[in-house]
Amino acid sequence: MYYDFETLVNRGELGSSKWLGMKDKKPDVSKSIVPFSVADMEFKNAPEIMEGLKNYLDETILGYTSPTEGYLDSVVNFMNRHHDWNIDKSWIVTAPGVVPALAHSVRGFTDPGDGVIIMTPVYYPFFACVTMNNRKIVENPLIDNEGHYEINFDDLEEKASDPKNRILLFCSPHNPIGRVWSKEELERVAAICLKHNVLIISDEIHFDLIMPGYTHTVMSTLSEEIADHCIVCTAPSKTFNLAGMQTSNLVIKNKLLRDQMKKSMLEVAFLNCGTLGYKACEIAYNQCDEWLEQLISKMNENKNIVEEFCKREIPEIKVYPLEGTYLQWLDLRAFGLSKEQLEKEMIEECELFFDEGYIFGDAGVGFERINIACPTDVLLQGLNRLAKWADRKRMR
């Protein structure tokens, strides 16, 4: 079946957080402009999901809902099929979102004042999950090795050896840099955390979105010992554009960790997901493999377009290799602008609404994160506006 990844749905009046955020930044933004910021897609949902939900609404009652056996089976089977990951249904803890689950992990497994290790630049809610819960951010900065980010294992060892640093919030694939960590890298991270009894909270929300030529390894598949020492956070939201359904699946093999996580969630009445979220996830995991395959092909096409366009038209911009996610990391530091000026010019001169690199930490200053999950002509329109801006900068 052919799926449509080229028809744009204008979400300006549909309550889209991304589109409303764009209008907040520039109220008079042109009606034809599409934002490239927040990590949801400018693609229509898979028709199987939409039709399945319509049929479900004809027969269901929208009361309090818990995961059904059919739902749990869909999660188990999807993980096995796509990640060679054999999980038991009892290991699944559902939650209305990965980010809230990260915050509850911080609350449940650390005390106020404890340290939480993060690898910067990193997904900006990681910072809030730590600081808003009165814990201490402990940065393990990634090494930018000539356009290829690597983990600083010596620094990680040093930070992990401090008994006050009790959790590693790990992003795999890494957002915003787009790295898919190799199995060898994961094994080194896991060995350090096991040695120093640092709990691994592995945010793998993008793990279905891997570019051709790369392979994602789920952290808990490395060994039984590691599986007992980590919580893997997954969701259908990025994969199938279902963020509004607020549904995620935490996989926690260790019963003690599982019970503690449930307790942390229960303390603030952080209970089940919504009825339609469960059903949307079940349909996606059971019926949408072909849609996902075509989606990745489109992402790879768009990724290549960004790389080739910048190389040809804007060589000052360094495009980092996109191995996983649909979030392209661009280095604009060659233009010599402050973070404030760069953001201002992107918005006011270009009508380009990216995620500014500085929100991912100090190591992101001068960078932009661009969401390429959009129709190709939309992407090209944005790149052309960026190229015209670069031309003007050269003439000044």
Side-chain angles (χ1 to χ4, degrees):
M1 179 178 178
Y2 168 77
Y3 293 100
D4 179 9
F5 293 106
E6 299 302 340
T7 299
L8 177 68
V9 176
N10 189 304
R11 296 197 283 160
E13 305 300 327
L14 299 178
S16 165
S17 298
K18 177 164 45 171
W19 288 65
L20 291 175
M22 174 177 68
K23 289 184 178 180
D24 285 343
K25 290 182 178 180
K26 190 174 184 183
D28 62 344
V29 62
S30 304
K31 291 184 178 181
S32 62
I33 298 298
V34 178
F36 296 97
S37 52
V38 178
D40 63 16
M41 305 182 202
E42 300 302 329
F43 297 133
K44 293 195 232 180
N45 290 103
E48 291 87 348
I49 297 174
M50 305 309 287
E51 289 302 316
L53 287 177
K54 291 173 186 176
N55 294 334
Y56 181 64
L57 283 169
D58 286 338
E59 63 188 31
T60 194
I61 292 175
L62 300 175
Y64 294 119
T65 306
S66 297
T68 64
E69 287 299 306
Y71 174 86
L72 296 172
D73 285 338
S74 73
V75 177
V76 169
N77 292 334
F78 185 86
M79 299 307 170
N80 180 268
R81 207 164 59 246
H82 287 267
H83 297 285
D84 196 24
W85 186 20
N86 298 311
I87 66 174
D88 189 273
K89 285 188 280 190
S90 66
W91 303 352
I92 299 170
V93 177
T94 61
V98 165
V99 171
L102 297 177
H104 282 285
S105 298
V106 170
R107 288 172 56 87
F109 298 102
T110 64
D111 296 316
D114 283 347
V116 177
I117 303 170
I118 60 175
M119 295 180 178
T120 52
V122 74
Y123 182 47
Y124 52 91
F126 278 28
F127 296 90
C129 288
V130 178
T131 58
M132 296 295 286
N133 285 298
N134 298 313
R135 273 65 170 175
K136 178 183 176 184
I137 290 173
V138 179
E139 293 195 37
N140 170 221
L142 297 169
I143 300 169
D144 186 351
N145 186 4
E146 298 183 354
H148 179 79
Y149 282 96
E150 299 172 353
I151 296 171
N152 188 334
F153 291 104
D154 290 339
D155 183 71
L156 178 60
E157 179 92 44
E158 179 183 345
K159 303 290 173 56
S161 67
D162 184 340
K164 288 291 288 182
N165 299 335
R166 296 172 57 188
I167 281 180
L168 168 64
L169 287 187
F170 189 65
C171 197
S172 179
H174 194 92
N175 174 11
I177 67 169
R179 271 298 316 274
V180 173
W181 305 116
S182 69
K183 185 177 181 181
E184 291 72 25
E185 288 171 312
L186 295 175
E187 287 173 338
R188 291 186 67 182
V189 169
I192 289 170
C193 291
L194 286 171
K195 176 181 177 182
H196 299 290
N197 196 31
V198 172
L199 179 65
I200 302 169
I201 310 298
S202 189
D203 174 4
E204 305 196 22
I205 195 170
H206 288 276
F207 72 159
D208 302 316
L209 301 168
I210 308 301
M211 295 300 104
Y214 298 94
T215 301
H216 176 85
T217 301
V218 177
M219 177 65 79
S220 68
T221 64
L222 295 174
S223 72
E224 290 296 319
E225 185 179 18
I226 293 167
D228 276 328
H229 197 74
C230 73
I231 293 172
V232 179
C233 303
T234 78
S237 53
K238 304 305 179 186
T239 309
F240 298 102
N241 211 23
L242 296 173
M245 287 296 183
Q246 298 291 299
T247 303
S248 63
N249 298 289
L250 317 180
V251 181
I252 313 174
K253 180 177 181 291
N254 185 316
K255 187 177 185 302
L256 292 177
L257 295 180
R258 193 162 65 245
D259 289 346
Q260 181 61 33
M261 185 66 177
K262 290 179 179 179
K263 179 177 181 293
S264 177
M265 294 161 65
L266 188 60
E267 285 174 351
V268 291
F270 187 72
L271 303 173
N272 286 338
C273 310
T275 304
L276 295 184
Y278 283 129
K279 182 52 66 173
C281 178
E282 182 179 344
I283 295 167
Y285 280 177
N286 285 340
Q287 300 180 35
C288 295
D289 283 4
E290 186 178 352
W291 185 91
L292 175 56
E293 182 179 345
Q294 292 185 33
L295 170 71
I296 292 173
S297 178
K298 169 54 67 174
M299 301 294 195
N300 191 51
E301 176 189 346
N302 282 355
K303 169 188 78 75
N304 291 336
I305 286 172
V306 174
E307 292 175 354
E308 294 165 6
F309 185 96
C310 289
K311 183 178 181 180
R312 182 180 67 251
E313 304 290 340
I314 328 174
E316 297 92 340
I317 295 179
K318 181 189 293 184
V319 180
Y320 282 67
L322 182 60
E323 301 174 359
T325 82
Y326 48 74
L327 305 166
Q328 188 84 62
W329 191 233
L330 306 180
D331 181 357
L332 281 74
R333 290 177 295 178
F335 291 101
L337 301 177
S338 69
K339 64 182 182 181
E340 295 84 4
Q341 189 63 28
L342 179 61
E343 181 174 18
K344 180 180 179 181
E345 293 192 17
M346 289 297 105
I347 294 171
E348 295 185 0
E349 294 189 26
C350 308
E351 290 196 309
L352 285 171
F353 298 85
F354 299 145
D355 278 317
E356 300 299 318
Y358 67 81
I359 70 174
F360 303 97
D362 291 341
V365 172
F367 290 78
E368 300 282 4
R369 191 191 76 173
I370 174 173
N371 182 340
I372 65 169
C374 60
T376 298
D377 65 333
V378 170
L379 179 62
L380 286 169
Q381 290 171 30
L383 290 172
N384 281 315
R385 295 200 301 279
L386 186 60
K388 290 178 181 178
W389 169 81
D391 285 342
R392 294 194 295 271
K393 300 299 289 184
R394 296 185 194 106
M395 295 172 63
R396 291 176 186 171

